[in-house]
Amino acid sequence: MAMQSVRQRFFQIIRESDKKRFLSSQQIIDRDNKYGGIHFKPLPVVLTRGEGVYLWDVDGKRYLDFLAGFSTVNQGHSHPRLVKIMRDQVGKVTHTSRAFYSEPHGELGEYLTKLLGWDRFLPMNTGVEGGETAIKIARRWGYRVKKVQSNKATVVFAENNFWGRTLAALSASSDPNCYTDFGPYMPLFEKVPYNDLAALEKKFQENPNICAFMMEPVQGEAGVVVPSDGYLKGVRELCTKYNVLWIADEVQTGLGRTGTRLAIDHEGCRPDILILGKALSGGMYPVSGVLADDQIMLCLETGSHGSTFGGSPLGNRVALEAVKIIEEENLAENAKKLGKILKEELSKVPKDIATEFRGRGLLAGLIIKKEFAEGWDICLKLRDAGLLTRPAHGQIIRISPPLTITEGQLREGINILTTVLKNYK
């Protein structure tokens, strides 16, 4: 009897396993909706595999990925070098905490500082942690170097910024969807219009306690807003003039996405603190961090900052390989070349369908006219046609494929997009 009971239980487990393994797409979606949070609305497609610029769903259908995990998978899905380095490091040591030294920590720091031109690199995990870290450093610098009065250090942000959804990040937001009913908010966070040097200087003149100005060189989540030529240089000049730290949030724009190594390189500017994330991870393991020179970074002495997983051997090793791939495969140059084709082709879309194309490199957005269609509905049609992306602010079709995309693959995606728009009604 005991043996029979064991056998029955064994076959019951097998049957339950088979049921889970052969769930339909809708069953998987329903399970997510039943047991998960509803704070995000995924496009209804269930993905199971990725390679290069392609993704496959559970039914085996292949899609062109025109989102790249919100500009995270710049190196393409499952890049062989990243897969190998991940496997190798997992077999050695994955986590020690910063309680001890590990070889990959200094190796990544040395590589990034020499490549990008700052004295030090402080690794974290997520992009929003990079932003929080930069603000902590700036406040500490404000008190200890600029000599701002205690508890008066003010940080200014560009309106329509997006750098995450922590309480600090939403306190800097001007989007009601982000901050409503999450107060009270972080004090002494102020905002100025983006791409407006006069407003920025006025703010600096009014408040001598400003320690930092944080902004995105191209605003991503706001709808791929590219500033006027000279804006970044103007920001640098004003921050220098009023002794304010310039924090450049390059979590999305950094590491090749806009056609240069960094988006600030379009105007040859150097911020005081640079934030990296997303593509720094290659989509393999969360890695972010900030770069700054000694006078700024060393304001964080022992015990003033930390992270359990930030700077782990696994994260650092993956990040090092991720950046080397971008450099050695000339992915920034590819983004620059294909970005010109993207702009040229999508600027031809009739104005009664799309009112504007915005973009720099392979970070772009096509603004669909509200009277023509909802962005979400367009993305559903694109999914059916074999291309995946999502809308921003309802009407902006995001276009940010992996930077490994070829001209042929890009033109295939452009053809899918324009055909869907042409045949929508």
Side-chain angles (χ1 to χ4, degrees):
M1 285 294 290
M3 182 61 70
Q4 184 178 4
S5 176
V6 170
R7 188 178 297 111
Q8 288 174 339
R9 178 59 183 153
F10 173 75
F11 284 113
Q12 180 183 352
I13 292 171
I14 293 297
R15 286 193 296 271
E16 290 175 353
S17 176
D18 285 343
K19 286 180 182 178
K20 291 179 181 178
R21 189 163 63 244
F22 297 111
L23 290 178
S24 69
S25 291
Q26 191 57 54
Q27 287 173 317
I28 294 171
I29 291 170
D30 291 343
R31 181 176 62 184
D32 269 30
N33 291 336
K34 181 176 180 179
Y35 296 107
I38 60 169
H39 57 286
F40 203 88
K41 183 182 178 182
L43 200 76
V45 58
V46 182
L47 302 174
T48 188
R49 185 167 69 90
E51 182 178 334
V53 298
Y54 295 108
L55 290 164
W56 284 262
D57 67 17
V58 292
D59 299 314
K61 182 176 178 178
R62 191 185 77 170
Y63 304 86
L64 262 174
D65 179 9
F66 261 40
L67 191 65
F70 295 109
S71 301
T72 296
V73 193
N74 285 10
Q75 302 83 350
H77 293 279
S78 302
H79 193 291
R81 287 174 58 176
L82 280 175
V83 171
K84 182 180 185 304
I85 209 76
M86 185 82 156
R87 286 173 172 162
D88 289 350
Q89 191 61 42
V90 164
K92 295 177 181 177
V93 60
T94 58
H95 178 67
T96 59
S97 83
R98 289 299 314 285
F100 312 101
Y101 287 98
S102 66
E103 187 178 4
H105 184 270
E107 189 177 8
L108 175 63
E110 180 181 25
Y111 183 83
L112 286 179
T113 54
K114 289 182 176 179
L115 179 71
L116 302 177
W118 279 268
D119 292 339
R120 294 176 183 270
F121 174 70
L122 191 162
M124 295 296 289
N125 308 283
T126 62
V128 72
E129 287 176 284
E132 297 257 357
T133 301
I135 292 167
K136 283 184 68 175
I137 293 171
R139 280 185 163 178
R140 178 60 69 85
W141 173 89
Y143 295 124
R144 298 196 172 177
V145 178
K146 189 174 180 178
K147 304 302 180 183
V148 172
Q149 184 180 344
S150 181
N151 293 323
K152 297 292 185 181
T154 302
V155 180
V156 178
F157 300 86
E159 290 177 356
N160 299 316
N161 70 81
F162 182 86
W163 53 280
R165 298 189 185 275
T166 61
L167 289 173
L170 66 86
S171 296
S173 176
S174 49
D175 180 0
N177 288 329
C178 186
Y179 65 73
T180 299
D181 291 337
F182 291 116
Y185 306 113
M186 182 74 74
L188 302 182
F189 275 17
E190 298 184 4
K191 293 179 279 290
V192 295
Y194 185 69
N195 199 26
D196 188 335
L197 293 173
L200 182 62
E201 182 162 26
K202 186 172 184 291
K203 182 71 71 173
F204 287 173
Q205 289 171 340
E206 292 172 345
N207 187 353
N209 294 319
I210 293 172
C211 63
F213 174 53
M214 180 166 158
M215 51 78 75
E216 301 155 86
V218 176
Q219 289 192 323
E221 191 68 21
V224 193
V225 181
V226 180
S228 304
D229 291 344
Y231 176 65
L232 299 181
K233 284 187 177 180
V235 168
R236 175 66 278 168
E237 290 168 1
L238 288 176
C239 286
T240 300
K241 178 179 178 180
Y242 290 94
N243 196 22
V244 171
L245 297 184
W246 174 21
I247 303 173
D249 174 5
E250 292 237 30
V251 169
Q252 183 165 195
T253 58
L255 302 177
R257 174 55 57 183
T258 66
T260 50
R261 182 180 286 149
L262 302 171
I264 53 171
D265 295 340
H266 286 281
E267 294 195 24
C269 297
R270 185 178 186 271
D272 300 290
I273 301 176
L274 178 77
I275 312 170
L276 294 177
K278 291 189 183 292
L280 186 60
S281 73
M284 284 283 179
Y285 186 91
V287 187
S288 67
V290 301
L291 290 118
D293 288 339
D294 287 342
Q295 184 196 33
I296 296 168
M297 186 73 80
L298 296 181
C299 288
L300 289 183
E301 75 280 358
T302 300
S304 62
H305 192 63
S307 165
T308 298
F309 285 95
S312 72
L314 179 58
N316 287 332
R317 190 69 79 192
V318 166
L320 178 62
E321 193 70 12
V323 180
K324 284 184 175 181
I325 289 169
I326 291 170
E327 288 295 309
E328 293 168 13
E329 296 189 6
N330 300 312
L331 297 187
E333 182 61 31
N334 193 50
K336 179 181 179 180
K337 180 184 73 172
L338 297 188
K340 292 177 181 178
I341 295 172
L342 184 67
K343 181 177 182 179
E344 179 182 347
E345 294 301 320
L346 292 187
S347 294
K348 298 175 184 176
V349 176
K351 297 301 180 186
D352 61 341
I353 296 175
T355 59
E356 184 184 358
F357 171 86
R358 298 175 184 164
R360 180 162 274 175
L362 287 177
L363 179 64
L366 187 66
I367 304 175
I368 303 300
K369 193 172 183 178
K370 181 77 171 176
E371 294 77 13
F372 178 78
E374 296 285 339
W376 181 263
D377 295 334
I378 295 293
C379 287
L380 290 176
K381 294 285 189 182
L382 290 172
R383 173 205 61 183
D384 295 342
L387 185 147
L388 294 178
T389 188
R390 286 179 59 89
H393 297 281
Q395 295 305 116
I396 304 170
I397 305 301
R398 304 172 193 258
I399 305 165
S400 57
L403 303 187
T404 54
I405 193 168
T406 65
E407 181 177 339
Q409 292 165 338
L410 180 71
R411 290 191 181 278
E412 178 188 356
I414 292 171
N415 182 59
I416 292 172
L417 177 55
T418 54
T419 300
V420 164
L421 291 174
K422 178 182 176 182
N423 297 329
Y424 183 75
K425 291 186 176 180

